[in-house]
Amino acid sequence: DIVMTQSPDSLAVSLGARATINCKSSQSVLYSSNNKNYLAWYQQKPGQPPKLLIYWASTRESGVPDRFSGSGSGTDFTLTISTLQAEDVAVYYCQQYYSSPYTFGQGTKLEIK
Amino acid sequence: EVQLVESGGGLVKPGGSLRLSCAASGFTFSNAWMSWVRQAPGKGLEWVGRIKSKTDGGTTDYAAPVKGGFTISRDDSKNTLYLQMNSLKTEDTAVYYCTTGGSNFAYWGQGTLVTVSS
């Protein structure tokens, strides 16, 4: 199984500042035949189901604000929130869909400083 | 608008069975690959399994912890996804989410809580 490890486990950032969450996979999730990284990011607010933010490591889902961006390739990925808003308080998960079982990171809790 | 509404959760004793349902609307259910993802209380997300569309073979795939005990099925005439859970264990206690997609998950239901306890 591919193990997904996020860092940090929790993060406190000031309103308007940049937030960065890292995700590392135990093996590459880059599929060489199409040059796509099979990596998604989700946001989960308290009491709500997760919401897909980004897929193919850097493609924003429709309706997701452009302050959210994804980057990275192979085994190392980053979710960046460029200007933190109060409504961004949530737990963020990365997930690989390169191979079954489709595994998630342990989550990163983002709070306001 | 895509809607996924889970039902069937509740309290069950270890070794018992439960069947969850997910009523889907707002998209062409018969063409969709569907999955179940669970979340134990206060914990992270765990993929449970998926079912392909019938046109893609209708086959299923499961995570190791549930293989042999859980069965995913679908009724395209009712736009409904099912999760039959047998031989339940305390560690199966979780909110179970129905999601669209076979590998990444664009839409999620609100979830249904399954509690396995004596």
Side-chain angles (χ1 to χ4, degrees):
Chain A
D1 297 2
I2 298 177
V3 176
M4 307 300 291
T5 304
Q6 293 180 226
S7 62
D9 289 334
S10 63
L11 182 61
V13 174
S14 301
L15 287 172
R18 178 185 297 260
T20 301
I21 298 170
N22 300 301
C23 174
K24 190 174 184 68
S25 57
S26 61
Q27 63 188 76
S28 177
V29 299
L30 173 63
Y31 194 39
S32 55
S33 66
N34 59 10
N35 201 38
K36 286 184 180 290
N37 287 283
Y38 284 59
L39 189 284
W41 288 97
Y42 300 84
Q43 174 193 63
Q44 187 177 30
K45 296 182 179 180
Q48 295 185 20
K51 173 187 174 182
L52 177 64
L53 295 178
I54 286 171
Y55 56 97
W56 300 134
S58 61
T59 302
R60 262 190 309 275
E61 175 73 336
S62 174
V64 173
D66 60 8
R67 65 180 181 273
F68 290 91
S69 63
S71 62
S73 186
T75 61
D76 292 280
F77 300 91
T78 300
L79 174 70
T80 301
I81 308 172
S82 59
T83 311
L84 190 70
Q85 306 294 306
E87 61 263 32
D88 300 333
V89 168
V91 178
Y92 292 84
Y93 296 93
C94 62
Q95 179 236 337
Q96 66 81 19
Y97 50 102
Y98 181 88
S99 66
S100 174
Y102 306 112
T103 45
F104 293 85
Q106 80 277 18
T108 294
K109 186 174 184 178
L110 177 59
E111 298 173 313
I112 304 296
K113 187 187 294 183
Chain B
E1 180 196 1
V2 171
Q3 282 204 315
L4 299 169
V5 180
E6 302 95 336
S7 60
L11 176 63
V12 61
K13 289 182 167 49
S17 298
L18 211 54
R19 188 177 84 154
L20 306 183
S21 300
C22 170
S25 60
F27 63 103
T28 306
F29 180 77
S30 60
N31 291 345
W33 294 25
M34 300 293 294
S35 295
W36 289 94
V37 175
R38 69 183 180 183
Q39 186 169 36
K43 302 296 184 184
L45 301 168
E46 180 184 24
W47 174 76
V48 171
R50 71 151 182 222
I51 186 166
K52 296 181 180 180
S53 63
K54 285 199 167 50
T55 54
D56 288 321
T59 55
T60 53
D61 188 15
Y62 300 95
V66 307
K67 204 166 191 175
F70 288 15
T71 302
I72 298 173
S73 61
R74 63 192 300 157
D75 185 337
D76 291 344
S77 69
K78 295 181 178 179
N79 287 352
T80 301
L81 178 73
Y82 300 101
L83 178 64
Q84 177 68 44
M85 303 184 293
N86 298 330
S87 304
L88 282 160
K89 306 169 189 171
T90 56
E91 53 263 39
D92 295 318
T93 294
V95 173
Y96 285 74
Y97 294 104
C98 165
T99 73
T100 60
S103 56
N104 67 49
F105 315 114
Y107 296 98
W108 299 63
Q110 289 298 312
T112 187
L113 175 63
V114 172
T115 303
V116 185
S117 174
S118 55

